[in-house]
Amino acid sequence: MFVSKKNRSVLTYAGAEGAPDLLVGILSPKTAELDKKPKRRVFARSGVKELWIIDPETKLIHVYYLQKDAERPAATCAEADTVTSPDFPGLKIKGATVFKR
């Protein structure tokens, strides 16, 4: 989870009381279907801007810009790709680093 300085007021002593700017989730076989659909839709309704769903099984990173289109990923990145974000200039994460064991 990442919350920008602009939105830091969502962070309180009780926890996060609002939408973070970026959420990154790693799928597990047990909760994958819940994470891919219902939770993604809840995050979109809650105001989360960007969601990355990391699938260790397929070694893919699905990038959603939830306020633009919560149903389809804006990008799907593989191990050989570098994940970037228009909302976070300078953020570059190599897929190989994400899936490194």
Side-chain angles (χ1 to χ4, degrees), residues 5-23:
K5 285 183 183 180
K6 182 179 112 183
N7 294 325
R8 69 176 169 232
S9 63
V10 305
L11 299 176
T12 70
Y13 287 106
E17 295 184 5
D21 297 281
L22 170 67
L23 278 175

Side-chain angles (χ1 to χ4, degrees), residues 26-77:
I26 301 171
L27 295 180
S28 71
K30 193 172 187 178
T31 62
E33 286 308 308
L34 179 66
D35 294 335
K36 287 193 256 182
K37 292 182 183 153
K39 281 175 71 174
R40 180 174 34 86
R41 292 176 182 145
V42 169
F43 295 150
R45 284 194 307 270
S46 299
V48 175
K49 290 181 187 177
E50 192 166 332
L51 171 66
W52 296 6
I53 297 179
I54 298 171
D55 188 338
E57 205 169 289
T58 62
K59 294 193 177 184
L60 294 173
I61 302 167
H62 303 282
V63 178
Y64 292 85
Y65 302 131
L66 295 176
Q67 299 311 304
K68 293 178 183 172
D69 186 349
E71 295 303 315
R72 285 171 287 287
T76 297
C77 303

